[in-house]
Amino acid sequence: MKIFKIIGVMSGTSLDGLDLAYCHIWEANNTWQFVIQATKNVPYTPEMELKLKDAIFLPATELLEFHNTYGTWLGQQAKAFIEERNLAVDYIASHGHTTHHQPQRGLTYQIGSGQHIANESGIEVICDFRTNDVALGGQGAPLVPIGDQLLFHAYDFCLNLGGISNVSFNLDQKRVAYDIGLANMGLNYSTRKAGFAYDDGGKLARKGKVNQPMLKALNSLEFYDLPFPKSIGYEWFVEKVKPIIDATDDTIENILHTSVLHVCEKVAADILQNTTKPKSTLLVTGGGALNTFLIEKLQEKLGDTVEIVIPSQTIIAYKEALIFALMGVLRIQKQTNVLCSVTGAKKDSCSGVMYLPS
């Protein structure tokens, strides 16, 4: 039995820092097993956060330059993590940071050059997990459902509340998944406008009241009516959501309260629509799982039909990094790591590009 010692590296749309998860992953009795041995979050400096957020607007040459320098920085963070914890590492699997995601135009781009990561860290790197699926006609997202299927199959639904909310579940004996819509992206944008890093536990939102015109505008966004598979990126937020928030003249408490209700209404509607059992379980991870007010409201919307399960803090924070580590292992093993039933591609694929350190 081979144990893969691999670091999963993840930077999400919520821009809450870089997540590194050192994992041992192995297959026994046709079942994948894992242990997260060590973790680290590297908060972004205000300058890095702003540059990542605005990378979508960079000219091509500047974006490519940032792709390389960010890759070097990722390699430095991985190397520091390895040295600090004295880790024995075989591979690094890096998601990178998504700057452009327009699958309808055949485009998806994650910055963080794999070659630069490998050269800086001295470790073999697997990255660029989305491009192949988009080339096969898929959405290139979400990718986490392969991990939901292989590592978290005990739950009926797996919901991630990162910058965007996405869900995966089994339907007609196939794994399906898609982006539901907003989650922390809107909440974080509003809190930062008001001078707060984030709304700790939803305390500000809890004090607010619903702004009905804002809620109606958010609920009426066309994306919610599209059939899955479907996915969104930061471009969608900038074009469709930001104007609604900016046009709302209200207190930060009311704006956050309304945003939370919007997230919960849309998530609950999708979950309940696909519930086939008298009692289902919903595993919730991502930063939104730590928003106590949001979780309370979501459970209210779901009622007794669906039970929310909040896992350990490590799984909440590092599930995506863990799953990209698993995707790296599957790529090394030449096994399927992207599901066409999830993305809408022509076929399942073994995706990811491998880089050797020089």
Side-chain angles (χ1 to χ4, degrees):
M1 180 181 67
K2 179 174 177 56
I3 297 177
F4 293 89
K5 300 174 181 179
I6 184 167
I7 294 176
V9 182
M10 176 67 194
S11 175
T13 52
S14 56
L15 287 168
D16 53 2
L18 182 72
D19 293 331
L20 301 103
Y22 173 58
C23 309
H24 286 187
I25 298 176
W26 68 97
E27 189 175 19
N29 300 318
N30 295 317
T31 302
W32 285 100
Q33 310 283 344
F34 73 92
V35 175
I36 299 178
Q37 298 280 0
T39 61
K40 182 180 181 180
N41 174 265
V42 183
Y44 287 130
T45 63
E47 295 77 16
M48 178 68 88
E49 181 182 326
L50 182 63
K51 192 163 185 179
L52 288 168
K53 181 171 73 71
D54 290 343
I56 185 176
F57 305 117
L58 289 174
T61 52
E62 291 182 30
L63 180 64
L64 293 174
E65 182 180 16
F66 188 30
H67 172 62
N68 293 340
T69 57
Y70 183 63
T72 296
W73 184 82
L74 291 178
Q76 291 169 346
Q77 302 312 310
K79 185 177 181 180
F81 181 43
I82 292 167
E83 292 176 349
E84 289 165 5
R85 305 298 290 270
N86 193 27
L87 305 176
V89 179
D90 300 321
Y91 304 95
I92 294 170
S94 175
H95 169 266
H97 186 87
T98 300
T99 60
H100 296 70
H101 186 70
Q102 300 176 39
Q104 71 278 6
R105 299 176 62 188
L107 301 175
T108 188
Y109 194 64
Q110 289 70 47
I111 62 169
S113 163
Q115 190 64 68
H116 287 72
I117 299 172
N119 290 354
E120 195 68 32
S121 65
I123 305 293
E124 187 170 348
V125 170
I126 309 100
C127 65
D128 190 9
F129 290 102
R130 299 187 189 273
T131 300
N132 187 31
D133 184 78
V134 172
L136 290 168
Q139 291 282 310
L143 297 184
V144 167
I146 187 69
D148 294 339
Q149 178 172 284
L150 297 179
L151 301 180
F152 298 97
H153 47 80
Y155 302 97
D156 297 301
F157 298 89
C158 291
L159 173 71
N160 183 68
L161 295 174
I164 292 165
S165 59
N166 53 63
V167 67
S168 84
F169 53 94
N170 283 338
L171 180 67
D172 298 329
Q173 299 183 326
K174 289 184 177 180
R175 198 77 188 182
V176 298
Y178 54 93
D179 288 346
I180 295 175
L182 275 179
N184 296 328
M185 198 181 289
L187 297 172
N188 290 347
Y189 174 73
S190 297
T191 54
R192 286 165 185 160
K193 273 186 68 177
F196 302 98
Y198 61 97
D199 185 10
D200 185 17
K203 292 175 183 175
L204 291 172
R206 190 185 294 275
K207 296 176 183 177
K209 296 180 179 179
V210 63
N211 181 304
Q212 290 293 350
M214 177 184 171
L215 181 63
K216 182 179 179 181
L218 290 173
N219 284 347
S220 299
L221 289 167
E222 293 178 4
F223 177 79
Y224 292 110
D225 295 325
L226 297 177
F228 61 82
K230 58 180 180 175
S231 62
I232 46 177
Y234 184 63
E235 301 98 317
W236 176 78
F237 175 79
V238 170
E239 181 183 350
K240 301 294 185 181
V241 181
K242 185 174 173 287
I244 295 173
I245 297 174
D246 290 343
T248 302
D249 184 15
D250 208 336
T251 66
I252 181 61
E253 290 85 359
N254 290 353
I255 288 173
L256 290 173
H257 185 95
T258 304
S259 297
V260 166
L261 290 186
H262 165 69
V263 171
C264 293
E265 286 183 11
K266 289 303 181 182
V267 168
D270 277 44
I271 298 297
L272 292 173
Q273 181 178 329
N274 291 290
T275 302
T276 58
K277 296 164 57 177
K279 186 78 172 182
S280 299
T281 53
L282 171 67
L283 179 71
V284 181
T285 56
L290 302 174
N291 188 322
T292 308
F293 178 65
L294 189 154
I295 296 301
E296 288 175 9
K297 287 298 177 185
L298 180 57
Q299 187 64 77
E300 284 180 18
K301 299 288 183 185
L302 292 169
D304 296 331
T305 305
V306 180
E307 176 190 359
I308 292 176
V309 178
I310 305 295
S312 69
Q313 294 277 350
T314 300
I315 296 298
I316 288 174
Y318 294 97
K319 175 171 173 267
E320 286 188 294
L322 160 68
I323 291 178
F324 279 100
L326 172 67
M327 290 183 68
V329 169
L330 294 172
R331 173 63 182 87
I332 294 160
Q333 294 290 87
K334 299 181 180 179
Q335 296 187 29
T336 294
N337 61 3
V338 180
L339 301 171
C340 64
S341 62
V342 167
T343 68
K346 297 172 185 174
K347 60 181 179 179
D348 292 344
S349 62
C350 179
S351 293
V353 181
M354 304 178 74
Y355 294 89
L356 299 175
S358 297

